[in-house]
Amino acid sequence: MLELFSFGEKGWGDELAFGLLVTIQLAFASLPVGLALGFAAAGASLSSLLPFRLLGRAYTTIMRGMPEILTLFVVYNGIGILLNILAAWWDPEGGSIEFSPFLAGVIALGLVFGAFAGEVLRGAFQALDKGQVEAALAVGMSGTQVFFRVKVPQVWRFALPGLGNLWINLLKDTALVSIIALDDLMRMTKVAVGYTKLPFDFYLVTCLIYWLMSIGSEVVLARMEKHANRGVKRS
Amino acid sequence: MDFEGIILTYWPKFLEGTLVTLQLTFFGVTIAALLSPPLAMLRLKGPRAVQIPLRIYVSFVRGTPMLAQLFLIYYGSGQFRPLLQEVGLWGFFREPYNCALLTFALNSTAYQIEIIRGGLMGVPHGEIEAADGIGMSTWTKYRRVILPHTYRIAWPALGNEIILLMKASALASVVTVFDLMGQTRLIFSKTFDLSAYAWAALIYLIITTVFVTLWRISERTISPQIFASKRKDRAVIAGMRG
C-alpha cells in the first residue's frame, strides 16, 4: 500500500508531488491577479463617477453569479478562439496555436477571486472610521500618508477574515483546471488512477492533501489575524 | 458568434439542462436541510464521541475541493464494486446523477450544520430560561422558542448556501450529467460558438436573481417583526416630513 505512494520508479509519490507543485504555483500566481482586480473593483464600486460604479457592480455581480467552471471555460475557449483569429490574421499559414491552460487558470481564478474580494474590500473601506481620517488630516498628514498609515492597516484588519476564506476557496478551485488538462494534483491523481485502478485510495489521499493545505492555511491566517489585530482592545 | 441562432436552435437543450440543474440543487438542498438540524444539535450538545466525528466531517468537506469529493464517490466506488454489488448498492453508484446528488447532499449538509449551529448559538439565553420558567417541555421549547428563532437567524445564510450549491452543481457535468453546464458544453463542442456560454451565464444569473428575490420575500414572511418595525420607522419619518 505504502509502496504505491513512494517516490521513484514504483510509486506515484513523485508524480503527485509534481502535481501538488503545479497546484500551489497556480494558487500563488492567481492570488496577486485576484487581489489587484479586487482593489480595482472596490475602488470602482466606491467611485463618485456613475460609469465606474456600474462597471464595478456589473463585474462583481456577474462573476459571483456564474459557476467557476463556466468562467474557466469562457476564458479558456474564448481567449483560445480569439488568439487563433488573431494568429490567422497575422499569418494565414501559421496553423492553430494552443492557449496555455495554466494562464487560462490564472486568469479565470483571478477573475473569480477578484469579484468576491471586491465585495470584501468594499465593505472594509466602508467600515473605516471617518473620524480617524479627519484626525490624520488634522495633524497634517498628506493624502498618501493617510492612505498608507491610517486606511490600509485598518482595511487589512477588516478584510483579512474574508480574504482568508477566499484564499481557501481559491486553493480548492484550482482543482477545476484539471478539467482543461493542466497537470495539477487532481489530474496527476487521475493519471495514477488510470494505471493502478485504485480510484478510492488515490482520490482519498488527494483529498487529504487538499485538506492539509486548507488546515495549514487556516492556522497561518489565524496568526495573521492575531497580528493584524494586535493593537485592538477586546471587550 | 450567432447569439440568437444558438438559443433558437438549442432552446430545448438549455431548458432540459436548466431543469436538471434545478432538480439537483433542490434535492441536494432538501436532503441536507432534513439532515442538518439534528446533526447541528448533536454537534453542539451531543456526547464527545459524536461531536468529534461531526467536526472532522465538517472540516473535511469544507477543506477539500468538491470535484475531489465527487471523484472520490463516483470513481472511488468502482474500487468496491464486488462489495457494493453484494449489498445491492452498485446500481445506485453506477449512475453519475446519483453520485453527483450524493456529493451535493453531503457537501451541503456540512455547510448547513455550521449555519444551523450558528443560529442555535444565536438564540438569546433569556428566551430559553423564560421557556423553562413557564414549564415548557424540551420538545415544546425547541418547537416553539428555539427552532423558530434559529431559522430566523440562519435564513439569509441558508439562502447563500443554496445559491452556492446551485453554482457548484455545474460540476456534475464533469461526470457526464447533462445539467445546464453539461448541455452547454455539448452545444459548444458542436458549434464552437461562444454564445452558448453567454446564454448559460445568463440563465445562471436569472436563476440566482429570481431565487434571491423569492428568498427575500420568504424572509419577510418568517421574520415579519423585523420588517414591520422598519415599516413603522418609515411611517414615522414620513409623518415627521409631512
Side-chain angles (χ1 to χ4, degrees):
Chain A
M1 181 68 216
L2 273 177
E3 205 173 89
L4 272 176
F5 296 101
S6 65
F7 288 75
E9 286 287 305
K10 279 185 182 166
W12 289 90
D14 41 349
E15 281 81 0
L16 293 185
F18 171 78
L20 178 61
L21 192 67
V22 174
T23 291
I24 293 172
Q25 278 173 345
L26 183 64
F28 277 103
S30 310
L31 182 65
V33 177
L35 276 177
L37 282 168
F39 269 104
S45 310
L46 292 169
S47 160
S48 52
L49 297 167
L50 184 66
F52 280 110
R53 278 210 301 279
L54 287 179
L55 197 70
R57 278 289 288 278
Y59 165 58
T60 53
T61 311
I62 293 172
M63 232 8 124
R64 290 187 306 151
M66 268 164 67
E68 290 78 3
I69 176 175
L70 180 59
T71 309
L72 185 65
F73 278 116
V74 171
V75 170
Y76 184 55
N77 294 325
I79 298 184
I81 287 177
L82 208 71
L83 272 180
N84 275 312
I85 293 174
L86 281 177
W89 173 75
W90 184 254
D91 175 17
E93 277 125 55
S96 70
I97 40 174
E98 199 69 23
F99 180 47
S100 141
F102 188 85
L103 198 58
V106 170
I107 295 173
L109 293 174
L111 279 171
V112 172
F113 187 98
F116 285 94
E119 292 294 284
V120 170
L121 290 168
R122 185 170 62 89
F125 272 108
Q126 280 172 333
L128 275 180
D129 184 359
K130 280 206 185 76
Q132 296 194 3
V133 176
E134 281 166 16
L137 289 172
V139 297
M141 281 191 185
S142 69
T144 340
Q145 278 178 320
V146 174
F147 185 76
F148 283 109
R149 292 195 182 176
V150 180
K151 283 187 178 171
V152 168
Q154 305 232 50
V155 165
W156 177 242
R157 183 163 73 83
F158 294 141
L160 197 54
L163 293 179
N165 281 338
L166 292 181
W167 161 254
I168 293 176
N169 282 346
L170 172 66
L171 207 55
K172 293 192 290 172
D173 283 344
T174 56
L176 296 176
V177 294
S178 65
I179 304 169
I180 56 168
L182 180 65
D183 290 334
D184 72 327
L185 176 57
M186 203 64 201
R187 189 159 155 92
M188 292 319 274
T189 311
K190 197 167 192 157
V191 174
V193 166
Y195 275 92
T196 59
K197 308 290 177 218
L198 289 171
F200 189 82
D201 299 351
F202 273 93
Y203 282 119
L204 187 65
V205 166
T206 298
C207 278
L208 292 178
I209 295 172
Y210 278 109
W211 195 15
L212 275 180
M213 284 198 285
S214 298
I215 294 174
S217 300
E218 273 170 25
V219 172
V220 173
L221 284 162
R223 281 191 162 189
M224 284 168 76
E225 269 174 51
K226 210 175 162 190
H227 183 75
N229 285 318
R230 65 197 177 283
V232 184
K233 271 189 192 164
R234 293 234 173 246
S235 56
Chain B
M1 296 261 279
D2 182 7
F3 195 63
E4 274 166 45
I6 286 282
I7 199 76
L8 288 175
T9 318
Y10 292 105
W11 70 267
K13 293 287 167 200
F14 278 115
L15 184 66
E16 216 175 287
T18 306
L19 290 177
V20 174
T21 290
L22 291 176
Q23 209 181 39
L24 274 171
T25 313
F26 178 78
F27 288 138
V29 165
T30 310
I31 295 169
L34 292 174
L35 290 176
S36 56
L39 290 176
M41 284 177 211
L42 282 173
R43 163 78 179 76
L44 268 181
K45 298 237 168 95
R48 276 180 72 84
V50 181
Q51 276 196 31
I52 292 170
L54 275 174
R55 280 174 79 154
I56 294 174
Y57 162 62
V58 171
S59 166
F60 179 82
V61 168
R62 299 210 302 179
T64 52
M66 205 193 222
L67 188 66
Q69 296 162 12
L70 179 59
F71 283 178
L72 184 66
I73 291 177
Y74 180 58
Y75 295 119
S77 61
Q79 201 175 322
F80 305 105
R81 187 171 170 177
L83 183 77
L84 288 169
Q85 273 172 331
E86 212 168 288
V87 291
L89 279 170
W90 179 242
F92 178 87
F93 283 101
R94 204 178 44 193
E95 289 299 323
Y97 181 94
N98 294 338
C99 290
L101 185 57
L102 182 63
T103 311
F104 300 156
L106 285 175
N107 199 282
S108 196
T109 303
Y111 282 93
Q112 288 190 34
I113 287 176
E114 287 302 282
I115 294 170
I116 301 291
R117 186 172 70 96
L120 284 168
M121 292 198 304
V123 177
H125 199 63
E127 287 181 18
I128 299 165
E129 275 176 359
D132 284 333
I134 57 169
M136 280 189 184
S137 68
T138 309
W139 167 243
T140 318
K141 192 169 65 181
Y142 268 97
R143 189 167 58 89
R144 308 198 68 156
V145 180
I146 300 179
L147 284 178
H149 202 158
T150 298
Y151 274 94
R152 280 177 188 165
I153 297 170
W155 208 248
L158 284 175
N160 281 341
E161 162 56 20
I162 295 171
I163 291 179
L164 285 179
L165 188 70
M166 196 274 291
K167 280 171 51 183
S169 74
L171 287 181
S173 67
V174 180
V175 290
T176 67
V177 174
F178 287 100
D179 67 330
L180 178 52
M181 190 67 214
Q183 293 286 3
T184 308
R185 283 173 71 181
L186 197 66
I187 295 167
F188 181 80
S189 67
K190 279 183 197 160
T191 59
F192 285 102
D193 189 333
L194 285 172
S195 332
Y197 289 140
W199 278 109
L202 193 66
I203 297 170
Y204 276 113
L205 278 178
I206 291 172
I207 298 175
T208 311
T209 315
V210 170
F211 176 79
V212 167
T213 315
L214 290 177
W215 201 255
R216 278 222 187 103
I217 295 170
S218 72
E219 196 182 339
R220 223 166 272 211
T221 324
I222 67 159
S223 345
Q225 74 290 350
I226 298 172
F227 296 92
S229 67
K230 267 188 196 159
R231 261 204 304 279
K232 218 197 285 166
D233 291 347
R234 241 179 267 142
V236 171
I237 292 165
M240 287 193 300
R241 279 199 195 123

